Amino acid sequence: MIPSQNCSQSPTGSSILISIKPRYADLILAGSKRVELRRAAPTQAIKAMAIYSSSPIQAIVALVEIVEVIEASVSRLWEIARDNGGGLTRSELRNYYSGKKTGFAFMLGKVRQFNSRIEPRIIFSKFTPPQSFRYLTPDELKKLEKLLVKRRKS
């Protein structure tokens, strides 16, 4: 994937918006899923991701710190998922990575959950859920962080 020109960059990395099925998003919010598995990873170093919980939720539900992105074989990814609450069976993982020799594990750090779901159109004027992920601009990330702080104080 070619990075957006308007990406959020800092010395420690960029931020992304990532689409996740509600079942997996809920596991991350509960703290039992500490790894997000992907077939592809951003070309830029990432420090954080905003979670867009896909249909039927269709809302941004959290900001999550990315501690590390690991590229590994499917066998190694299974070990990582098993040890870090990947939320899927070995068979599901193999099906997901079918045709791939390697994949990516986003190791998750601090999860900052919004008090209520964020309607994406509050942040993005023309919102289309990303197929996998999209880079956040610095302004988009600031808007999300402001909503996180604002809603925490409420």
Side-chain angles (χ1 to χ4, degrees):
M1 173 166 200
I2 297 171
S4 163
Q5 289 181 356
N6 296 326
C7 59
S8 172
Q9 292 186 345
S10 74
T12 56
S14 299
S15 299
I16 59 173
L17 174 71
I18 192 164
S19 291
I20 300 179
K21 291 180 181 178
R23 110 179 197 199
Y24 301 118
D26 290 346
L27 291 172
I28 291 170
L29 296 177
S32 60
K33 184 176 190 315
R34 298 177 318 277
V35 61
E36 175 59 20
L37 301 168
R38 291 287 154 156
R39 290 173 56 93
T43 56
Q44 300 175 13
I46 53 172
K47 64 175 179 174
M49 68 180 187
I51 296 176
Y52 173 77
S53 186
S54 61
S55 187
I57 304 300
Q58 300 179 316
I60 300 168
V61 296
L63 286 174
V64 181
E65 174 189 26
I66 303 295
V67 177
E68 180 181 14
V69 177
I70 301 169
E71 181 174 15
S73 68
V74 175
S75 297
R76 177 69 182 122
L77 289 171
W78 167 247
E79 292 170 5
I80 292 168
R82 181 193 63 213
D83 296 344
N84 293 281
L88 70 171
T89 66
R90 188 175 199 158
S91 176
E92 289 171 323
L93 181 133
R94 283 190 174 150
N95 287 338
Y96 178 65
Y97 287 108
S98 178
K100 300 285 273 182
K101 291 183 192 239
T102 65
F104 299 88
F106 295 5
M107 304 308 295
L108 308 179
K110 182 178 180 181
V111 176
R112 297 183 296 160
Q113 183 175 350
F114 292 99
N115 287 337
S116 59
R117 298 171 181 163
I118 304 298
E119 163 59 46
R121 285 172 183 78
I122 292 172
I123 307 299
F124 311 98
S125 57
K126 295 180 181 179
F127 181 74
T128 303
Q131 279 291 78
S132 179
F133 69 90
R134 78 182 271 306
Y135 290 96
L136 293 171
T137 67
D139 287 342
E140 292 165 346
L141 182 59
K142 281 179 192 169
K143 285 180 188 177
L144 282 170
E145 287 175 337
K146 218 175 199 181
L147 285 171
L148 187 69
V149 171
K150 185 178 184 181
R151 292 184 184 207
R152 288 270 181 232
K153 289 180 181 176
S154 305

